[in-house]
Amino acid sequence: MKSDEFRKTGYEIVDWISDYMDNVEDYPVKSQVAPGEIYSKLPAMPPLRGESMDTILKDFKKILIPGITHWQSPNFFAYFPANTSGPSILAEMLTSALGTQCMIWETTPAAAELEERVLNWLRDITGLPKQFEGVIQDTASGATLAALITAREKACGFEINEKGFREDNKLRVYCSKQAHSSVEKDVKIAGFGRENLVKIDVDANYAMDSNALLNAIEKDISDGKTPCCVVATIGTTGTTAIDPLKETGEICNRFGIWLHVDAALAGTALILPEFSWMIEGKEYIDSLVFNPHKWMFTNFDCSVYFVRDSETLIKTFEILPEYLKTRTKGEVNDYRDWGIPLGRRFRALKLWFVIRFYGLEGLRDKIRGHITYAGELAEMIKKDRSFELLAPVPLNTVAFRFNPGGLSEKKVNSINEQLNHQLNDTGKIYLTHTSLDGRYTLRMVVGQTNVTIDHVRNAWSLIKEKSAEIKL
Ligand SMILES: *Cc1c(COP(=O)(O)O)cnc(C)c1O
């Protein structure tokens, strides 16, 4: 592509993106297409000769846009957010234009040093201990996998890396019943075996019951097994429950167990001084991950992974083929040794843009706003006798259901499922659900970059309106 054509199409695309940002609320939040609809509109064979950018862009708008779910709509209340922001998108453009590989310092010194600086910023503004060092990973799932493998190697004296698992390596991993499914997936991939993941009961607030954790660990020890790692969650995916870190940490410390903290969403709230209580007991943490690609307005993918002892991490992952030997080894950070992939994009750039554009106060205002709006929503739900809150609301996620009274649990579940589908089919808002003690639970997550209290109030009106239409 010649630079003239690039420039012309580039301006067009930037115009389109700017209009998209202004008008994102005009699209149905959840894509309304049927399965196969998009696929059938795409030709069976690729073009033999190159096509014009005009034609490609026309098809992008006509064929693909209807199949897009608009995660950047402020009426998106589903899952957890995957936010972007202007500065982040612009940085991504530069990252893709530079197209650098950031596997070792030498392959892009600025990327390695910016990553080190920005991760130290994040460590300090979230209140993590000073000796922690950070690295950008693709996802929380990937970072937790890195944590589990590191914990595994530490527990076996780096033997499994060399010889593989032995019959008598009975290493055990613990997390709560509300922990994210990625923990189970990672336990499988890291070779522990799913049977060696112990899911601990939760208390009335859906946080890990630390007495049950202690009992499980003691039982395993008396059965000749080796407790290896506890994954505590700060902000569970279902209800943003916060596992008791101090008690959990004391147990880990007592038995020499690796403590990994999954704070995928909630880690961002640690920039608010009023939420520092979430990591009380931080002196016991070995590793922690959170996702700026969820709640810190930074495009996917960008997870930040912090470790107390980077040497153990590097010892676990390091591999040194001849072609990667450099003169600077040991003086600088070669991040390929800090996780699984070799190739790495220049992801620190977007974090740097975002943090500088908003400033710490700007980020705090936004996050505080979201938490306040979620609190207001919880109050509105509490006041309505046809609805009930199903979990505490420590952060930005409200778990609730429609329960007009006098109906069986089974019926209440089915009307809430119906309500969820009917709401999403309007295209006006998008909510997803979870299950709490067998109850179909609607979740409303207030965390999109541009969400305001008006979006939340309008969503609540729509929920009430649609619930009134349900035949009981
Ligand atoms: C979203 C989430 C994850 C998974 O995040 P990815 O970055 O998509 O892997 C893990 N843990 C928790 C608690 C989450 O909310």
Side-chain angles (χ1 to χ4, degrees), residues 79-150:
Y79 304 101
F80 276 153
N83 285 327
T84 67
S85 60
S88 175
I89 297 168
L90 293 171
E92 279 282 43
M93 286 166 69
L94 293 172
T95 290
S96 70
L98 296 171
T100 53
Q101 271 297 344
C102 308
M103 47 206 186
I104 52 182
W105 179 87
E106 283 207 359
T107 59
T108 307
E113 296 190 11
L114 184 67
E115 184 160 340
E116 184 176 351
R117 178 59 78 192
V118 171
L119 275 273
N120 284 347
W121 283 359
L122 283 179
R123 172 197 66 203
D124 293 344
I125 66 179
T126 54
L128 284 170
K130 281 280 181 202
Q131 71 265 47
F132 275 54
E133 289 177 84
V135 56
I136 298 177
Q137 303 267 357
D138 53 0
T139 57
S141 308
T144 296
L145 179 59
L148 285 171
I149 295 173
T150 313

Side-chain angles (χ1 to χ4, degrees), residues 420-440:
N420 196 3
H421 293 316
Q422 283 178 5
L423 286 166
N424 295 344
D425 289 346
T426 65
K428 290 182 180 160
I429 63 171
Y430 185 17
L431 297 182
T432 46
H433 78 284
T434 187
S435 174
L436 293 174
D437 305 318
R439 291 172 299 183
Y440 189 99

Side-chain angles (χ1 to χ4, degrees), residues 79-81 137-144 178-183 186 232-238 262-266 289-291 293-294 300-303 443:
Y79 304 101
F80 276 153
Q137 303 267 357
D138 53 0
T139 57
S141 308
T144 296
Q178 288 288 322
H180 190 264
S181 57
S182 56
V183 179
D186 291 339
T233 311
I234 302 291
T236 58
T237 315
D262 176 359
L265 173 95
V289 61
F290 80 92
N291 288 351
H293 71 224
K294 275 185 171 157
F300 190 87
D301 54 330
C302 185
S303 283
R443 281 167 81 254

